[in-house]
Amino acid sequence: MFHFYRTDSKNEDFISLVALLDKDLAQRDGDDHAFYHQFNGIDLLDHCIVVYLDEKPIACGAIKSFDETAMEIKRMYVRPNLRGKGIATKMLTALEVWARELGYRYCVLETGKRQPEAIALYKKNNYQIIPNYAPYEGVENSVCFRKDMPPQSDVDHKSSE
């Protein structure tokens, strides 16, 4: 059974999973990795989730404030041997719920064209491609997404009908 644990970026399991993510991205991004890495520091992430299976950390993700109405999805990772089981979708949903609880109206994110499975995940979960936002403007390998979310009160109202 999966357990989703809300934490921050000081969590050792989150740090370990992000190290695996960075290793994977370094291979995929090649010479572009240094550019992306500068925007992916974790020291200021206050809203992180670690997913556990049988008390072992298997996935992570985070959100950080993008502006007064949006959270940015960051540091999404699922261990390769557990991909294709819906964990990333559940993680994404958990991050969206948390963002909504905090009063944000939409989520944005950036991923790379060399991550086709990530692009497919976001499209499957109703994220729309948008023009690249700063600092990814004009970056050929970047793809930016946005998903509007109803306010928490709208979600609560619909579930009670």
Side-chain angles (χ1 to χ4, degrees):
M1 184 165 169
F2 300 115
H3 172 71
F4 289 71
Y5 177 69
R6 289 182 178 185
T7 186
D8 61 29
S9 61
K10 295 173 187 74
N11 178 285
E12 292 297 323
D13 292 332
F14 180 78
I15 293 167
S16 296
L17 289 164
V18 167
L20 295 172
L21 168 63
D22 285 339
K23 184 178 177 182
D24 178 64
L25 291 175
Q27 290 176 333
R28 290 177 190 246
D29 293 335
D31 293 340
D32 294 335
H33 185 67
F35 170 78
Y36 290 108
H37 191 69
Q38 68 182 320
F39 306 116
N40 288 322
I42 63 169
D43 52 334
L44 300 177
L45 295 177
D46 294 327
H47 303 93
C48 305
I49 295 178
V50 177
V51 182
Y52 292 88
L53 175 62
D54 300 327
E55 299 181 28
K56 294 183 176 123
I58 60 160
C60 67
I63 49 176
K64 76 172 198 174
S65 182
F66 181 74
D67 63 28
E68 63 278 348
T69 60
M71 281 293 225
E72 184 177 23
I73 306 284
K74 302 293 286 181
R75 314 308 355 228
M76 289 275 297
Y77 179 76
V78 177
R79 288 184 182 268
N81 63 319
L82 293 166
R83 292 179 185 163
K85 300 182 183 313
I87 299 165
T89 292
K90 289 176 182 164
M91 167 68 70
L92 195 55
T93 300
L95 292 169
E96 292 167 0
V97 166
W98 201 355
R100 215 174 19 250
E101 287 173 7
L102 293 168
Y104 291 87
R105 296 297 305 250
Y106 64 95
C107 287
V108 297
L109 63 91
E110 181 275 340
T111 193
K113 290 181 180 175
R114 296 181 192 110
Q115 299 168 57
E117 61 280 285
I119 292 170
L121 168 74
Y122 300 129
K123 285 182 175 180
K124 179 179 93 172
N125 284 280
N126 301 314
Y127 279 76
Q128 303 299 315
I129 294 175
I130 60 172
N132 288 2
Y133 53 83
Y136 307 106
E137 295 164 316
V139 178
E140 180 62 31
N141 182 49
S142 288
V143 182
C144 292
F145 289 87
R146 172 181 163 144
K147 180 177 181 180
D148 294 333
M149 299 179 301
Q152 187 64 37
S153 60
D154 289 353
V155 173
D156 293 339
H157 177 70
K158 286 180 185 173
S159 64
S160 65
E161 290 179 349

